[in-house]
Amino acid sequence: MTMWLPLIGMTALPHVGGIYGGFITRQQVKTWYPTLKKPSWRPPNAAFPVVWTCLYTGMGYGSYLVWKELGGFSENALVPLGLYGLQLALNWAWTPIFFGAHKLKWALIEIVLLTGTVGATMVSWYPISGTATLLLAPYLSWLCLATSLNYCIWRDNPEKKEE
């Protein structure tokens, strides 16, 4: 059973922030978010929880593959798992900034940093596990879409822009 604990724990870990973000988002999607001008190409609200569940599972499993390949939390794991941890923290921070604080510009800056950190994580994972790297590819693609969406919302809602 103990051999399954890291697999389950590391795969489930990203969902912790996702669940927390869901609580923040749920009310705002009904009240504040509909007041924003959004581009016509925006995915429907119902797509977001499905997509994020898949992405969180993939990134979590990818982190497990890297951890396993490097023999656990070793000195060799510092950069690849450190970058992963940084991007996960940035991922979890975006929702409270955008949906919680309604800070469109700060959310945009934050998601640009997040997207870059995911790219750096992928670069650091590639020599360790091609599979883990590929598991982050849909996540990076989705973040590019989300970054574009955040930018358009910030641009198209000047009355909502913070000082």
Side-chain angles (χ1 to χ4, degrees), residues 31-125:
T31 57
W32 172 73
Y33 191 66
T35 69
L36 298 173
K37 295 180 190 101
K38 296 172 280 302
S40 61
W41 49 264
R42 173 188 62 90
N45 290 345
F48 287 86
V50 174
V51 169
W52 278 111
T53 299
C54 295
L55 295 175
Y56 281 143
T57 301
M59 77 171 77
Y61 182 65
S63 74
Y64 166 75
L65 292 176
V66 169
W67 175 85
K68 182 180 168 194
E69 189 66 30
L70 293 174
F73 295 109
S74 64
E75 188 175 314
N76 292 339
L78 184 62
V79 171
L81 293 180
L83 284 168
Y84 172 74
L86 176 59
Q87 73 78 29
L88 192 57
L90 287 168
N91 178 298
W92 291 346
W94 183 86
T95 299
I97 296 168
F98 185 89
F99 282 105
H102 304 167
K103 300 294 186 184
L104 305 179
K105 177 176 69 177
W106 287 108
L108 177 59
I109 293 166
E110 200 275 355
I111 201 169
V112 168
L113 291 172
L114 167 59
T115 304
T117 305
V118 171
T121 302
M122 292 176 74
V123 168
S124 76
W125 283 15

Side-chain angles (χ1 to χ4, degrees), residues 95-158:
T95 299
I97 296 168
F98 185 89
F99 282 105
H102 304 167
K103 300 294 186 184
L104 305 179
K105 177 176 69 177
W106 287 108
L108 177 59
I109 293 166
E110 200 275 355
I111 201 169
V112 168
L113 291 172
L114 167 59
T115 304
T117 305
V118 171
T121 302
M122 292 176 74
V123 168
S124 76
W125 283 15
Y126 184 73
I128 302 161
S129 171
T131 302
T133 305
L134 288 174
L135 285 168
L136 291 184
Y139 176 37
L140 184 61
S141 298
W142 184 260
L143 283 175
C144 289
L145 175 81
T147 302
S148 300
L149 180 58
N150 192 153
Y151 169 75
C152 289
I153 292 172
W154 172 76
R155 179 197 64 201
D156 295 342
N157 291 276

